[in-house]
Amino acid sequence: MCGIVAYTGYREAAPLLIEGLKRLEYRGYDSAGLATLSEGRFWIYKQAGKVSALAHSIDGKVVAGKAGVAHTRWATHGSPTDINAHPHLSYDGAIALVHNGIIENYSFLKSRLEREGIHSISETDTEILAHWIAWVRQQASTASWMEIIKRAFAGVEGTFGVAMLVRDDPGLVILVRRFSPLLIGLGDREYIAASDAAAVVPHTREVIHLEEDEAALLHPDMAEPEVFGLREQSRTPQREYIHWDVASIERGGYPHFMLKEIFEQPQAIRDCMRGRIRQEPLEVRLGGISSVMDRILAAPRLTLVGCGTSWHAALVGEYLIEQLVRVPVEVEYASEFRYRNPVISAGDVVIGISQSGETADTLAALRLAKQRGALILGITNVVGSSIPRETQAGIYIHAGPEIGVASTKAFTAQLTALTLLALHLGAVRYTIDRNLHDLLIEKLLTLPDLVAQTLEKLHQPVYEIAKQFVSVTNVLYLGRGYNFPVALEGALKLKEISYIHAEGYPAAEMKHGPIALIDQGMPVIVIALRDSLYEKVLSNIQEVRARGGRVIAIATEGDEDIQTYADEVLYIPDIPEPLSPILTVLPLQLLAYHTAVLRGCDVDQPRNLAKSVTVE
Ligand code: F6R
């Protein structure tokens, strides 16, 4: 949430910063700004609106300097105005600072500073932080930035990723991290730091991740960044290598990242399975959790936590694991779990599911579980993000960078990873019938091709249906069993990018309330596969039709009977029930995408949202 880029080196900073901001804009796009430093003066430009507006506004202006910091904002404190945009300048004009996160004791710091006659001009906690650091520096009898930063941040509570410039220290960039991620790209006589690898990868793939409560001083004259702990001893930072390439973070000819990512699903699923399925005998191997298998097998239950789409993946995980492993599974919203004093103890296993690996609530839920002695695991996409760093073991989904704010390929890759986990645990515990085990693995291996065919086949028909959705105000999504979470996911996709109100329900629950919403012509999307609940779902469809609802069925290829029940039918290939969510979600993703585009919505950057939610 919020994107930060910082640069120091031998090149002009401004174009690099703007380019970096564009790559990070999916993290927040309420306002944007940058500061550069040249010959003892800052050049600061900032304004409400997107990075492109900022880039346009500085075109032809002087933005001098070979060091700079920049920010794209998702507003927390203060509305998205020019004045609240980052960077913020300290009262003495010595520090220009950008910040991601929330300073929780900002009212306290503000009053403290006001007593010293230091007042803010914006409504932000970030400006207070800039003043606070400058004030601590003024009081300190040291010129060492390491000391000043330690002292200043000893008085700061909350979460932060901070990048700052100092007017009288040309070339110096200071980074500070608590909770909000920051990584430092290591170039040749230059450093480019950011909250996300997407801004760094075009320049270098060699990086250092700042850990919790760490800060770093970067200067082109220093061969290595000086990394130090805010509270503890400094460590020698580990260099890491990012395997993503630049093409994977560009649109590659697609009009939107979301569409590109929808069509990348075959590859994402393939990459998630790569090296994890052995032939003869067919079996799943998950190296990332092998060291903790004993504890997983001994656990009386598994708890899955996540938010949004990842929470929906967890719900499918519950069906998969309970059916194939016969172990009770609890699925929790991470945000609820962490605040309700959950009954978790040493024997428990808590698995956090998160595309970004940075979602504040999921990370906090895992930390809580760890404090109580549970084994914590992560199912994440972003390599080196906070969740895999803090968990004891886990599974990377390897979906590749997901830039579109609406999660698509991460969802199907999460389902793939959860299926592998269930198959693996089921085999080790002998709870899964061998024939079913082999059949599911064989079918899983065919899924990348089936996903590609389904997308190809349904793209146009879904577009035609989307045309009818342009002016609807409500849509109901129904599914049962494995496909109930898919109904939730379909509704979420439509809401978040097209701003049409949508609800997902277990089909049989409809008659307990939502049926009252149905009137003439209201679209109701029903996942009605030829599976164990087919007849039941047909009855639910009849109930919708009887009230004038317009039924769009997602059905199994070859099922002609369904045509007498539904107004429109979108077919997906026949596949065993546990794997079906990976296919049924595809038309729902496409429908949300096309509807949003036809309604003129900003698909990749829907209003009020940000890609990774690093605040509570
Ligand atoms: C919806 C969406 C969000 C995320 C949620 C969790 O399309 O993307 O609901 O799923 O914010 O994010 P991660 O998975 O990064 O923890």
Side-chain angles (χ1 to χ4, degrees), residues 206-217:
E206 222 172 316
V207 300
I208 287 173
H209 286 92
L210 276 194
E211 300 281 2
E212 272 307 273
D213 277 315
E214 275 188 347
L217 308 180

Side-chain angles (χ1 to χ4, degrees), residues 260-270 273 408-409 411-413 415-416 443-459 557 571-575 579-587 589-590:
K260 176 182 177 235
E261 288 157 8
I262 288 174
F263 278 89
E264 278 174 349
Q265 291 178 103
Q267 194 56 41
I269 295 166
R270 211 172 272 126
M273 292 191 289
T408 52
K409 64 174 179 172
F411 179 68
T412 44
L415 298 188
T416 307
K443 294 286 179 185
L444 196 56
L445 288 166
T446 67
L447 262 179
D449 289 340
L450 292 183
V451 168
Q453 287 160 22
T454 308
L455 289 170
E456 199 56 44
K457 209 172 108 200
L458 292 186
H459 199 187
E557 225 153 50
Y571 286 111
I572 62 141
D574 193 6
I575 190 92
L579 306 181
S580 64
I582 295 178
L583 295 180
T584 52
V585 77
L586 304 174
Q589 295 170 340
L590 287 171

Side-chain angles (χ1 to χ4, degrees), residues 258 306-312 353-360 362-363 379-382 387 402 404-408 410 414 489 492-493 496-497 609-613:
M258 183 179 176
C307 303
T309 290
S310 295
W311 182 75
H312 296 156
I353 304 183
S354 172
Q355 184 285 129
S356 61
E358 300 293 353
T359 298
T362 310
L363 188 54
I379 297 183
T380 43
N381 188 30
V382 179
I387 289 178
E402 192 178 64
V405 165
S407 187
T408 52
Q414 285 166 343
E489 175 61 6
L492 175 64
K493 287 287 93 89
E496 67 180 335
I497 59 168
L609 291 173
K611 184 66 181 165
S612 61
V613 185

Side-chain angles (χ1 to χ4, degrees), residues 2-47:
C2 297
I4 291 178
V5 196
Y7 175 80
T8 181
Y10 59 89
R11 294 189 269 173
E12 279 304 307
L16 276 132
L17 296 174
I18 291 284
E19 183 210 314
L21 283 187
K22 285 186 178 158
R23 294 189 190 280
L24 295 191
E25 200 170 19
Y26 67 98
R27 298 183 67 103
Y29 30 83
D30 293 340
S31 59
L34 59 80
T36 56
L37 176 63
S38 166
E39 297 180 2
R41 77 155 280 193
F42 287 127
W43 301 88
I44 298 184
Y45 297 89
K46 55 183 197 163
Q47 60 183 61

